[in-house]
C-alpha cells in the first residue's frame, strides 16, 4: 500500500512550510480597527489565538484598555491604541506610535464602520460625509498609511470588512451601500497594484451579523422575520463566523488568494426567486 506522502504531488510534498506553519500567525503583527466590539473584537481574538500580536484600535480609551487587559489575562498578545481612524491626525498618531513600537506590520484589518438608516432624500450633507469618512476614507487612508510597513514585512495581508450591501440592495441606506461597494472594488484594485510588493488585499461582505450595529433593527420581530426569509440558512450570523473567514485570509494557507470578496451571508446573495 502506498504511503500518503507518495500520493501527494512533488511540489506540494516538497513545500518548506509545515502544516503548523501554514495554519499559524505566530510572530505576525496585526492591526484591527473597531476592535472593541462585534466583528472587530471577534477578529482580534481569532488572530491572537492563531499566535499574532494584535493592536486593538477603537475610539474609546477605556474600552481599549479593558480589552487589552482581557487578552493578557488569557495569555494572548495585544496592545491597544485609542484612535478615531476617520480623523487624519489620529491616523498619523497611530502610525507614528506603531512605527516606534513595532517597526513593521504584517496584517491590517479595516473593520471600523457605522450606518445611519434613512431614505436617500432624508440625509444631510454632514451625515453623508460622516458615513464616507468613517467607512471608506478611513479604509483607503489606512491602507496607504501602512503600505510601507506592510511592504517591508514581506508578508502583507489586508482584509477589508464591507457588507452584502456593497453587492446587492437592502434597506440600510444608499450612502452606506455606496461606501461598501467602493470598498469592494477598491480592494480588487489594490490587490492587483500591490501584488508585486507581496501584499495581498481581500474583502469580506457580511450579511446580518449580531453586533451592536445591528441589534436595533434586529430587535424588530417583523424585520427579523423578513431577514430570515431571505436567508437560506434561516438565521443571523455570529461575529466569530466572520472572524474565522478574516483569519483564513491572513494565514499563510491562503497565500495565493488576493482580490477576492467573500460573502458571509448564509446564502443571502445567492437567493433568487
Amino acid at each position: 500500500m502506498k504511503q500518503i506522502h507518495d500520493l501527494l504531488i512533488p511540489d506540494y510534498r516538497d513545500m518548506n512550510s509545515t502544516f503548523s506553519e501554514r495554519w499559524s500567525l505566530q510572530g505576525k503583527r496585526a492591526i484591527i480597527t473597531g476592535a472593541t466590539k462585534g466583528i472587530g473584537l471577534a477578529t482580534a481574538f481569532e488572530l491572537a489565538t492563531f499566535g499574532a500580536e494584535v493592536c486593538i484600535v477603537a475610539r474609546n480609551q477605556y474600552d481599549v484598555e479593558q480589552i487589552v487587559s482581557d487578552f493578557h489575562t488569557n495569555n494572548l498578545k495585544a496592545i491597544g491604541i485609542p484612535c478615531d481612524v476617520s480623523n487624519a491626525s489620529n491616523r498619523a498618531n497611530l502610525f507614528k506610535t506603531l512605527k516606534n513600537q513595532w517597526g513593521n506590520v504584517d496584517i491590517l484589518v479595516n473593520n471600523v464602520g457605522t450606518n445611519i438608516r434613512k431614505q436617500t432624500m432624508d440625509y444631510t450633507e454632514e451625515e453623508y460625509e460622516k458615513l464616507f469618512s468613517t467607512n471608506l476614507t478611513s479604509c483607503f487612508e489606512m491602507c496607504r498609511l501602512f503600505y510601507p510597513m506592510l511592504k517591508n514585512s514581506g508578508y502583507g495581508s489586508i482584509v477589508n470588512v464591507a457588507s452584502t450591501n456593497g453587492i446587492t440592495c437592502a434597506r440600510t441606506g444608499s450612502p452606506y451601500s455606496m461606501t461598501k461597494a467602493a470598498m469592494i472594488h477598491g480592494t480588487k484594485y489594490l490587490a492587483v497594484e500591490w501584488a508585486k510588493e507581496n501584499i495581498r488585499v481581500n474583502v469580506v461582505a457580511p450579511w446580518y451579523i449580531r453586533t451592536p450595529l445591528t441589534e436595533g433593527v434586529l430587535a424588530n420581530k417583523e424585520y427579523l422575520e423578513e431577514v430570515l426569509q431571505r436567508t437560506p440558512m434561516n438565521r443571523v450570523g455570529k461575529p466569530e463566523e466572520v472572524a474565522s473567514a478574516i483569519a483564513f485570509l491572513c494565514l499563510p494557507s491562503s497565500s495565493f488568494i488576493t482580490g477576492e470578496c467573500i460573502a458571509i451571508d448564509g446564502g443571502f446573495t445567492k437567493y433568487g426567486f
Side-chain angles (χ1 to χ4, degrees):
M1 182 180 293
K2 288 187 176 181
Q3 299 295 316
I4 291 178
H5 63 73
D6 292 328
L7 302 176
L8 299 178
I9 60 174
D11 285 347
Y12 188 82
R13 187 177 64 228
D14 294 338
M15 286 175 64
N16 291 325
S17 60
T18 65
F19 179 87
S20 59
E21 289 171 338
R22 288 185 291 112
W23 293 93
S24 171
L25 292 174
Q26 202 70 40
K28 305 301 182 189
R29 288 170 165 166
I31 306 169
I32 305 97
T33 66
T36 56
K37 56 189 175 183
I39 292 170
L41 176 56
T43 299
F45 182 80
E46 191 89 358
L47 298 183
T49 301
F50 273 106
E53 181 178 4
V54 299
C55 178
I56 306 294
V57 177
R59 289 179 297 178
N60 188 291
Q61 182 172 349
Y62 176 79
D63 291 346
V64 169
E65 291 173 353
Q66 287 295 111
I67 296 300
V68 170
S69 177
D70 288 346
F71 272 50
H72 291 168
T73 299
N74 287 279
N75 297 314
L76 299 173
K77 291 174 285 187
I79 63 172
I81 302 176
C83 175
D84 178 359
V85 294
S86 69
N87 180 280
S89 61
N90 275 212
R91 290 193 299 266
N93 289 335
L94 173 66
F95 176 82
K96 182 178 180 180
T97 301
L98 283 175
K99 182 67 175 177
N100 292 334
Q101 193 160 344
W102 276 0
N104 282 329
V105 168
D106 304 290
I107 295 164
L108 170 62
V109 179
N110 287 303
N111 164 73
V112 73
T114 191
N115 196 11
I116 302 169
R117 293 176 173 86
K118 289 185 175 183
Q119 294 296 307
T120 298
M121 298 304 296
D122 294 335
Y123 285 96
T124 65
E125 185 176 348
E126 289 74 21
E127 289 170 334
Y128 174 88
E129 290 176 351
K130 177 183 178 181
L131 288 170
F132 270 76
S133 64
T134 302
N135 296 355
L136 185 61
T137 302
S138 69
C139 173
F140 180 69
E141 294 298 350
M142 286 287 287
C143 288
R144 296 207 307 164
L145 192 60
F146 285 95
Y147 165 81
M149 295 170 71
L150 290 161
K151 177 183 176 181
N152 290 339
S153 80
Y155 180 95
S157 179
I158 299 172
V159 181
N160 299 320
V161 181
S163 166
T164 53
N165 278 71
I167 300 172
T168 188
C169 297
R171 287 170 285 172
T172 57
S174 56
Y176 177 83
S177 299
M178 291 160 65
T179 63
K180 297 304 183 179
M183 183 186 291
I184 291 170
H185 192 69
T187 293
K188 297 174 183 179
Y189 199 102
L190 292 184
V192 173
E193 183 177 322
W194 290 354
K196 62 182 180 294
E197 314 291 1
N198 292 320
I199 299 173
R200 297 185 298 114
V201 192
N202 291 288
V203 60
V204 296
W207 173 224
Y208 271 105
I209 308 295
R210 286 206 178 274
T211 69
L213 188 63
T214 64
E215 61 185 358
V217 290
L218 294 179
N220 183 321
K221 292 184 179 180
E222 290 183 1
Y223 189 87
L224 174 59
E225 183 58 33
E226 287 190 75
V227 168
L228 298 181
Q229 287 175 359
R230 300 304 305 163
T231 308
M233 291 186 72
N234 196 41
R235 66 176 177 86
V236 173
K238 305 172 185 176
E240 56 266 31
E241 292 177 308
V242 183
S244 61
I246 293 172
F248 170 68
L249 292 171
C250 296
L251 285 162
S253 299
S254 65
S255 57
F256 203 48
I257 299 175
T258 194
E260 287 301 314
C261 176
I262 299 178
I264 306 167
D265 65 355
F268 165 69
T269 54
K270 309 303 185 294
Y271 190 20
F273 179 68

